Amino acid sequence: MRPLAIIGGTGIDDLEDLEVLKEHSVQTPYGEPSEPIQEGQLGEHSLFFLQRHGSHRAIPPHMINYRANLWALQFMEVGAVVAINAVGGITESMRPGRLVIPHQVVDYTWGREHTFDDGKDGKLMHIDFTEPYARGLRMELLAAAEAANIPHEAAGVYAATQGPRLETSAEVQRLARDGCDVVGMTGMPEAALACELGLPYASVCMVVNPAAGLGTLPLTLAMMRDTLVREAAAVQQLLSQLLRNR
Ligand code: HPA
């Protein structure tokens, strides 16, 4: 089985138990990935890790080179990608502290390099994106969450917004009417690019705040960070279990 890759999001700057053996600076036709890709060993499994915001979280969501990141992971011959995404919760049950394994996406992003299809080779890339997340990989994540006793939501619709600003309360109401459960800024075009490359891809979302207008507090980064620290521990546990089950 080809090794798994983890794309870390806000709050997941490294994998605690990963013994890093090598770092790969991959040059891609699309420029540079967010940072060199770590290759290492977690228990008896090989694993690749890439923090999509780069080290010290310098790259904002709309400026991430999603194409270079996915292309580089495929170049490293990873078998599947698990993405970690921090999100705001819209649906009542998706409270701060909750992990969500989303099953659907609504894309509100714009102006991002969102496809490998440059129209040059005469091949149309109308990928089937009916199910944006790989079913088998989602099932593996759900089984791991069950086995490790990690409270989670087994499905959810992810709204990908442009950022970097957070939403207005009217925008969040609209997302709710659209059927979205959580909102984040990095889920797209990442999921679609993985699909274009034929890489099985799934996401683990960490709800770090009630989406705009749904909580009593103003949204502060400090508040999100507190929740993130707690959830990051659960995510690390989930990933370890995922690997143990493989
Ligand atoms: N909106 C968009 N992205 C986010 C949020 C949010 O409320 N929280 C964390 N990432």
Side-chain angles (χ1 to χ4, degrees):
M1 198 185 262
R2 288 185 175 191
L4 198 67
I6 309 298
I7 299 184
T10 306
I12 307 280
D13 292 333
D14 46 36
L15 295 180
E16 247 165 43
D17 298 328
L18 182 71
E19 187 194 344
V20 180
L21 302 173
K22 270 190 212 157
E23 296 209 337
H24 302 271
S25 299
V26 183
Q27 302 301 316
T28 87
Y30 306 97
E32 294 211 357
S34 301
E35 65 173 8
I37 296 172
Q38 293 182 350
E39 178 181 1
Q41 200 76 18
L42 205 154
E44 45 195 60
H45 294 269
S46 304
L47 193 69
F48 289 87
F49 178 80
L50 172 64
Q51 161 51 267
R52 71 165 72 76
H53 295 287
S55 32
H56 312 300
R57 212 193 173 279
I59 312 171
H62 62 294
M63 296 186 77
I64 290 167
N65 193 339
Y66 295 96
R67 293 196 301 181
N69 287 350
L70 271 299
W71 194 96
L73 289 176
Q74 199 195 38
F75 182 77
M76 299 313 304
E77 302 195 333
V78 307
V81 177
V82 173
I84 314 298
N85 302 88
V87 294
I90 300 173
T91 302
E92 177 126 36
S93 58
M94 316 248 172
R95 296 201 179 85
R98 199 81 174 155
L99 294 190
V100 183
I101 318 290
H103 72 295
Q104 275 296 333
V105 165
V106 181
D107 187 8
Y108 302 91
T109 64
W110 48 270
R112 301 182 180 190
E113 297 287 0
H114 65 288
T115 176
F116 292 107
D117 186 357
D118 55 12
K120 286 193 185 135
D121 63 3
K123 277 195 236 137
L124 287 176
M125 246 197 222
H126 295 309
I127 50 162
D128 179 352
F129 204 47
T130 313
E131 290 191 16
Y133 301 112
R135 192 179 281 205
L137 190 56
R138 282 193 74 250
M139 293 304 141
E140 281 189 60
L141 284 166
L142 294 174
E146 291 288 336
N149 243 327
I150 298 169
H152 63 281
E153 297 290 323
V157 179
Y158 179 106
T161 55
Q162 177 67 1
R165 67 166 176 83
L166 294 163
E167 296 70 39
T168 67
S169 59
E171 285 169 337
V172 169
Q173 292 309 314
R174 173 191 167 206
L175 299 180
R177 286 194 300 277
D178 283 357
C180 300
D181 296 300
V182 294
V183 52
M185 300 174 191
T186 53
M188 286 293 285
E190 204 172 82
L193 291 167
C195 189
E196 283 189 355
L197 293 177
L199 272 177
Y201 175 98
S203 157
V204 178
C205 293
M206 312 186 286
V207 183
V208 294
N209 58 282
L214 299 179
T216 47
L217 299 161
L219 294 175
T220 64
L221 279 179
M223 172 182 102
M224 294 184 196
R225 272 197 205 105
D226 284 351
T227 317
L228 264 177
V229 171
R230 276 185 279 128
E231 279 176 302
V235 167
Q236 307 258 7
Q237 231 186 315
L238 175 66
L239 295 176
S240 299
Q241 183 70 46
L242 178 73
L243 287 175
R244 271 200 296 278
N245 289 357
R246 288 202 128 206

